[in-house]
Amino acid sequence: MKTCLIAAVLLAAPLPALADKLDDLKDAGTVRIAIGNEPPFTAIGADGKVSGAAPDVARAVFAALGVADLEASILDYGAMIPSLQAGRVDAITAGLFMKPERCDAVAYSEPILCDAEALLLPAGNPKGFQSYEDFANDPEARLGAPGGGTEEKLALDAGVPRDRLVVVPDAQSGLKMVQDGRIDAYSLPVLSLNDLLAKSGDDKLEVFAPVVGAPVYCDGAAFNKRDTDLRDAFDVELAKLKESGEFARIIEPYGFSAQAAISTNRETLCAQE
């Protein structure tokens, strides 16, 4: 009988890992985040320092929560949620836009960065590409996009066949493939492509934005579904950051609109197809 009573008490007790996640991070002094390497969302400097709009916001929020350092892992977008679910990282701060299926898989914070889709293509857009459907309808067109990212899904949903949708490992590769004529366009959010083109100095290329028919998206910091208390604590400090104006001071130099993030919410974005 005593054994059964002990078992019942253990089953009824809350799981410590759920309640103490923030305390664990404070004790460690570090939060492990998943990022891409896609300026201005995320970036790694030559000195190894993590920067970009998403990590900079995360750094400010976690500092307010008593966690001083960020430890970043660069992952493909398709690997980020599995890594979070497996406990290899504590959060994703990488421009991972909210979609219903992602909202089912992770616990998002309120919105942080908002952007629209774009195309990097030859100057003058000689083939007149304006939408993902345009690539689907041209039997010779080849479009590049990050593997596992929003652009890949939008292109597939628009009817671009898999054999003409090229998975590109990183932004520099996408730029080079357009320059070499191996793909007709490379798709990323407009801010990422503007940054890429500006750094390349290539006046033979241009950015077309927004992609016609593609929705505007916002990301948030993504947490394990077990860590909603941590997500809620993050949201409290994020709201303070927005209200104080510090949020705008962090993200607007990167080209993002603070008002865009303030004017919408997680519930709306998670319902948006």
Side-chain angles (χ1 to χ4, degrees), residues 40-41 53-54 112-115 191-192 248 251-259:
F41 289 90
I112 297 176
L113 305 177
C114 300
D115 201 3
L191 289 167
S192 299
I251 71 167
E252 289 188 347
Y254 288 104
F256 292 97
S257 165
Q259 187 55 41

Side-chain angles (χ1 to χ4, degrees), residues 59-82:
R59 183 179 286 109
V61 172
F62 278 111
L65 290 171
V67 184
D69 294 325
L70 300 181
E71 177 185 308
S73 296
I74 301 174
L75 300 175
D76 290 337
Y77 283 94
M80 289 178 182
I81 289 177

Side-chain angles (χ1 to χ4, degrees), residues 40-41 115-119 188-195 207-210:
F41 289 90
D115 201 3
E117 301 299 343
L119 300 169
L188 279 180
V190 60
L191 289 167
S192 299
L193 287 185
N194 283 340
D195 180 82
V207 174
F208 176 85

Side-chain angles (χ1 to χ4, degrees), residues 177-197:
M177 292 171 78
V178 176
Q179 289 171 327
D180 293 345
R182 293 160 58 196
I183 55 177
D184 294 289
Y186 177 46
S187 187
L188 279 180
V190 60
L191 289 167
S192 299
L193 287 185
N194 283 340
D195 180 82
L196 180 66
L197 183 57

Side-chain angles (χ1 to χ4, degrees), residues 213-260:
V216 174
Y217 293 110
C218 300
D219 81 341
F223 299 89
N224 195 298
K225 282 281 192 178
R226 297 173 301 184
D227 297 333
T228 53
D229 286 349
L230 176 60
R231 187 275 310 276
D232 292 345
F234 186 98
D235 272 344
V236 169
E237 295 303 328
L238 177 61
K240 292 178 183 176
L241 211 64
K242 290 177 177 178
E243 186 176 354
S244 71
E246 183 62 21
F247 178 71
R249 286 190 286 273
I250 293 172
I251 71 167
E252 289 188 347
Y254 288 104
F256 292 97
S257 165
Q259 187 55 41

Side-chain angles (χ1 to χ4, degrees), residues 71-249:
E71 177 185 308
S73 296
I74 301 174
L75 300 175
D76 290 337
Y77 283 94
M80 289 178 182
I81 289 177
S83 294
L84 179 67
Q85 292 172 327
R88 291 189 287 272
V89 295
D90 304 307
I92 301 168
T93 61
L96 192 71
F97 295 137
M98 295 186 208
K99 298 287 286 179
E101 64 272 17
R102 289 175 177 169
C103 293
D104 288 341
V106 303
Y108 271 110
S109 73
E110 289 294 338
I112 297 176
L113 305 177
C114 300
D115 201 3
E117 301 299 343
L119 300 169
L120 178 70
L121 35 67
N125 194 2
K127 295 186 178 181
F129 294 123
Q130 297 188 4
S131 68
Y132 296 121
E133 286 82 0
D134 289 341
F135 289 89
N137 294 333
D138 182 339
E140 303 298 323
R142 290 170 61 81
L143 175 66
T150 299
E151 298 79 17
E152 181 186 40
K153 183 179 186 304
L154 287 170
L156 290 171
D157 288 348
V160 180
R162 171 52 70 186
D163 64 350
R164 292 196 285 108
L165 182 57
V166 180
V167 173
V168 178
D170 55 67
Q172 287 297 326
S173 297
L175 172 72
K176 185 70 165 57
M177 292 171 78
V178 176
Q179 289 171 327
D180 293 345
R182 293 160 58 196
I183 55 177
D184 294 289
Y186 177 46
S187 187
L188 279 180
V190 60
L191 289 167
S192 299
L193 287 185
N194 283 340
D195 180 82
L196 180 66
L197 183 57
K199 289 178 178 175
S200 77
D202 190 339
D203 61 5
K204 295 180 181 179
L205 299 178
E206 71 179 35
V207 174
F208 176 85
V211 174
V212 174
V216 174
Y217 293 110
C218 300
D219 81 341
F223 299 89
N224 195 298
K225 282 281 192 178
R226 297 173 301 184
D227 297 333
T228 53
D229 286 349
L230 176 60
R231 187 275 310 276
D232 292 345
F234 186 98
D235 272 344
V236 169
E237 295 303 328
L238 177 61
K240 292 178 183 176
L241 211 64
K242 290 177 177 178
E243 186 176 354
S244 71
E246 183 62 21
F247 178 71
R249 286 190 286 273

